[in-house]
Structures are given as C-alpha cells and as structure tokens.
Amino acid sequence: IAEVTGVQTCALPILVLPFQPVPIINVPGYGDLCAVTVVEQLKIQSQNDRDKLADAKELVYLKGFYEGVMLVGEHKGLKVEVAKPLIKDQLVSAGLAATYMEPEKNIVSRSGDECVVALCDQWYLDYGEQEWREKALKAVAAMECFTDEVRKNFNSALGWLREHACSRTYGLGSRLPWDQAWLIESLSDSTIYMAYYTVAHLLQGDSFTGTGGPNVLGVTADQMTPEVWDHIFQAGPKPKNTKITDSALARLCREFSYWYPLDLRVSGKDLVPNHLTYAVYNHVAMWPRQEDMQIRGIRANGHLLLNSEKMSKSTGNFMTLSDAMDTFSADGMRLALADAGDSVEDANFVTGVAEAGILRLYTLVEWVKEMLGEGVLARDSQDTFHDNVFRSEMNKLLGETEANFQNLLFKEALKTGFFNMQGARDKYREMCGEVGMSRPLVLQFIEWQALMLSPICPHVTDHIWSLLSLPGSILSASWPSPGPVDTTVIAQSDYLMEAVRDFRLKLIAARAPPKGGKGGKGAASPQLPSHCTAYVAKSYPAWQATVLDTLRAMYGGRADSPPDNKAVSQELAKKPELKKFMKKTMPFVAFMKEKVGSKGLEALDTSLPWDEMKVLSDNMPYLSSSLDLEGVSLAWSTELGEKGEDCRPGAPFIAFRTEPSVALSVTNTQAFSGLFETSCPIMQDDSAAAICRRLARLERGLKDPSMVQLYRYTDPVMGPRLMPDCTTPLAGLTPITQDERFNIDLEAQIVKLGQLELGPGLVYRMKE
C-alpha cells in the first residue's frame, strides 16, 4: 500500500472500489478532494508511477498544511496548521494514538551503519513558537542572502521547523546550565560564537587555547562571569564585585560594538535548513529589541567537484590543497576556484581550466612587459573613436566588477574583471590598426586590470604593480573610481563589430567554390571579389515599421514576455496597409522576436539614435583591412530599389564585385630574402602604394607594405631577359614613386605606367 497525499491506493482494487473519498479538507487551487484532483492532473495510473506520486505529495502536502481549511468535525473552519496539533493531542490523550518519529530520509552514520530514532528523554528548542518565528522571518527579510534560492530555503525552513533536539549525552560541547547531565548539541551551540571573535584577541593571549600566558587585559577565565558577558554583549549593567578594571570592560564593550553586528556569514548550502536558521533564531532571541544587531548577510555556497565528479579518496578523485598549489601555483588555484562556480550551485574545479588560467596569467605579464618597453606605444593622444569606446568599456567593466565582488559573485567578477577586460583590450588593439594604441589608455588598462584581478590573483598582480613602478603594494591600493560610460559609442562599436562580422561571413560565401552540377561536373570558379559596396538604410520600409510598432505594443514594455505568434498574426491581419505584404510579415516577426531576445526592446526601434553612415565612413580603414579588399564604398539603400528591403537600420547590406585587372609578374631580386616571384593583379588607375599593399596580402613574408619599393625595367623588352648581377642589383631598374598611376588595356592584357608599357613584369625590393 502506498500513501498518495492522504488517499490510500492498493494493488487490489476490490479493497477500495466500494468506497468513495470523503472530503475533509479544502485546499485552494485543488478543491475539497486534493488527492483526486492532483492524481487526475498528473495522469497517475497506479502506485507504480513513483516519480509522479512523489511530485503529487510535494504539491499537495505543503499547500494543504499551510492553506488547507478543515471541513468537518469540531475544528471545522480552522486551518490545518492550527487544527493538526489539537487533533494530535486529543488522540494521544484518548489513548487512540502514540507519538512516533522517524528520519525524513535514510540516515547513515560515519561508520556506515543505518541510524534509527531512539526513544529517550530529550531537551528541545521550540522553534515553532509563533512570536519567535515571526521575528526570525522579519530578520531574514532584512538580511542579504545574495541569491533568491537561499532566501527561499530560509523561508521554507522557518515554515516547517518546530521542536529541535538541542542536547546529547556525549561528545564535545557545553553543559546545559539547568541539567548538567546533558551537553548542548553542536548545531544549536555554535550559532552566536562569532560574537566571541570580537573580543577573542584580547582574552586569548598569544594562543587560541588560552595557555599562552596572560592576556593584554590581565583578565582570567573565572572572571568572565555571565554578568560580565551580559555587560559586553547586551549593554547590561556594570557587574558588581568584579576584579576586571573599568578600562578593560570599556575596551571589551568597545571592541564588540565596533565589530558587531555580523556583516557576513559564509557556509555550506546544506546548513541553511538547520545551523544557519538556528543562528537567525538565536540572534533574535539574544537581541529581541535590537534589529540592528541581527545578522546582516549569509552567503551559502555549494559543494566542490573535481573534474565534474565528487571528490572521494576511495576513487582517487581528490586533490589536497598543498598538491594543488604545487601543481598550479597559488594564483593559478585561486583563478580556477573563482571560475569554478558561484552561489549555491556546486562548483567544479577543472584541471584543464587551471592550466589554461596559468597560461593566461603568464601571457598577461609578458604583454605588460612588452607594452612598457621603450618606443612600443608612441601615440599619446586619446581622442579617437576607438579610444572613446575603450575608455567607456573599461569604466563600465570596472563598475560591473565592483558590484560582482560586493555580491560575492567571484565567477562573474572574474568574467567582467578579467576575461571581458582582456576582450575589450583585444578589440581595441585590432580596431586601432596602423594608428596604434594610446599610451595613456594602455597604462590605465594595465593598472585597472591589475587592481580588478588582485582579489583573486594577488601575487601576479602585485608583480605587475611593481612593473608599473607604482608605490607600495597592490594589496594596499584603493579601488579605482570609474569615469562616465558613453553608452552611445559602445553601441556604435558593437554595431561596427557585428556589421564587419556579417560582412566577413558573406565574403567567405562569395569566395567559396560553387557546388558541383549534374554529372559530377563542377561549375567554373567565380572571380574573387575585389571591391564591395555597403548599403545603409535610414529607416525601415513603411510596412516593416508598422509591424514593429504593433510588436512593441504587444510586448507591453517587457522583453521577457513575447506575444504569441497567432495573436500577432491576427493583429497584423487587421491592418489594411499590410495586406499585400502578409507573406513577408510573419518571417519578419520571427526575425525581430529573436532580436528582442538578444538585445531587448530597443531592437524594435524604427531608426537608430545615431548616424549609421557616419560610423561606417569614420571607420573605413578598419573596414578595408578587415575585409582584405581593394576598396570599400558606402551608399544609401534607396539605390537598391526593391532589394533595399533586405537592408534595415543597424543591419547594412553588402554587395561584392570584381573590378577588371591584368595579371603582372612581380619579382623580388634580393638575395636571401625568401621572397620570389608572384602574380599580382593590376587595376585601372592603381597607385604604386596600392600595389604594395596588395603584395603584402599576397606574400605572407611582407609584413609592412610601407617598406616595399617598386621598380620597372628601364628597357621593358631586354631588361627582363638579362641575367641579374648581385653586385649591382639595381642596374637596369628605375624606381617607381608611390603616387605614380598604372593604366591597363584589357583587350591586349597590357599594363602601362602612364603611357609607358611595362612589359611582362615589375621588380620589388624591401627598403634597407
């Protein structure tokens, strides 16, 4: 027989089928027969549906106890929570019931034996007392729990906690003052001992055991009577007949009042329903009229896994702290532990992450040394677009990291204060290109990066602090104050990065060879794009703007509550201006809903709050270098006609093209250079500088196109036929200036410099 939320089910239907359930409790949401209702809702077929039966019990029992109302008997109208102990007392008094207790689940001792509940005399703390519980609930409501789950667990424990056995007959602990045969059980005893921390340094002398000699106050243990403790902890009257001096008492009181109340208690999540809840109760009991003396914050953490598995000596999956530091170093360990997990979720220490973290720290130190080298950072100005973006991103990440540290979210703090900071630096370095990074900004980045990482990796960051020649130790440095965050330039930068990423993907597709046709014959490979035009939309087409306005109204100001597609379709069907676009509306709706999910309701704006064309034009060098094309131009989407509908504000459309060219052989004649002959396309009106940049893209050995010098054969006919002389390498060659222009004849496949035919090729050399 299995119990299902108050109803007995049996494998033999004949035993229960003649009987009908009798309603005795009304539960809001489940009616008078909650078991019948929930069995039907969960579609439970038999007692073999164990998982569903467990869910049914959890659903109904808690709600039935706190919200259920009696329908029958002398306690009709009372809540079950009130009626249950009354009925229990009546049954026990009449001899119709006996008190029976059992563990909530199977309990196994450290010796491996199964535990049972023993019937014996016992002292209990009545945590179910109504006034006491209400004060505890109020204290939890005012307490910082750091996660909603921890607060929920506290409230749940306060809801079911009643009598708790607070004593035992053996082990370590204090004797019960009124019954010396019993010891106070440890979970009940160790709830306010942190108050002792405030004065321990004055009383313990030089030893935690108190055997290190006289303490600084000259106070002995026997002088610390209950009256003295009341005076210290509860501002009670000054004890009479004490040998402790007034100055010593005043100092003890001052230390306690300075350090208390308890700002933060950190412990395991498994102690929330017992030890930590008892601590809340006992603080309320000790200081019932002093709300400012209650615990201000409790941070519960999960357990620690090693490589996604529970640590166990029997399986060999464990690591001592000493071994871990020998393997990964102290900072490597701290970095991996911070990255292992936050809040009450079980943290997962992964050795691969620790190894990668060490490499990241090493790379950071080496990069700092490189940046601090002489002449590396030559630019002192810091007023370009990318400078403003980098500065705002650093200010933003500094504020986010500070908030994460304050909330004890170390994984998030590591993400914003290290990984995201490194990402912002990498993006800044890439976008600066040939202009180079700003020296003041890079120095500020290094200093802030060290400070933001110092709570997690103090040794490495202190070393970086010394490399910066800053005074003292980083451990004594103050947290920097963030400057203003320009969200507009950050949004423009994000737009630019997203646009370039989209352009790159489309360029890869344009360069991909076509798929083979029928019969296994492949189509001819397309000419590689050399130029592109990016089209920008000032606003959405009228029908799309109507769809966006409708969607914004249906979202109701909440990005997390997307409207149902059916409801959207019905609403759009009512608008006559959308009649001829109905086939396009729902795909557009699906696309925009996805955008809202990633960017929020601002994705539904019909135009951007800044000039999209200006952002692209101001960053033309970055566009050209990123796409590795000969030329990039901009235009308005209105030039595309109907195709312009594919171009939306914030999502420019790009079209690639291949400009005609004539291939010319370009040869390097320098000895031992590793550079040989290559075929380089020459386009109409190319400059020598443009050809040098193109050569750098074709030849990996050419790192700096500004160091390339082009030459033509003085005699275009005989020059290429002569054997070069290493002693006079420039004989027969004429240098070409950077601004000279080339002309091409496509029909004859001839390249000219002005009106001079160049013959079969050119020569290039690296400047020495």
Side-chain angles (χ1 to χ4, degrees), residues 667-669 713 715 717-733 763 765:
T667 307
N668 181 271
T669 61
Y713 289 103
D715 184 348
V717 177
M718 295 302 299
R721 292 176 170 81
L722 297 176
M723 181 69 67
D725 186 350
C726 292
T727 61
T728 56
L730 299 181
L733 299 176
V763 172
R765 295 174 66 86

Side-chain angles (χ1 to χ4, degrees), residues 391-429:
R391 185 185 302 107
S392 288
E393 287 183 337
M394 284 197 295
N395 289 332
K396 179 172 178 285
L397 291 171
L398 180 65
E400 292 176 351
T401 304
E402 182 178 8
N404 288 329
F405 274 129
Q406 288 177 343
N407 292 322
L408 304 185
L409 298 174
F410 300 110
K411 184 180 179 69
E412 288 299 311
L414 185 65
K415 175 186 174 184
T416 56
F418 184 50
F419 298 128
N420 289 359
M421 277 286 283
Q422 295 287 301
R425 179 209 60 186
D426 293 344
K427 185 179 78 169
Y428 175 60
R429 180 173 53 189

Side-chain angles (χ1 to χ4, degrees), residues 422-443:
Q422 295 287 301
R425 179 209 60 186
D426 293 344
K427 185 179 78 169
Y428 175 60
R429 180 173 53 189
E430 175 188 350
M431 300 188 80
C432 283
E434 297 179 2
V435 177
M437 297 183 290
S438 164
R439 179 178 179 82
L441 279 181
V442 170
L443 292 179

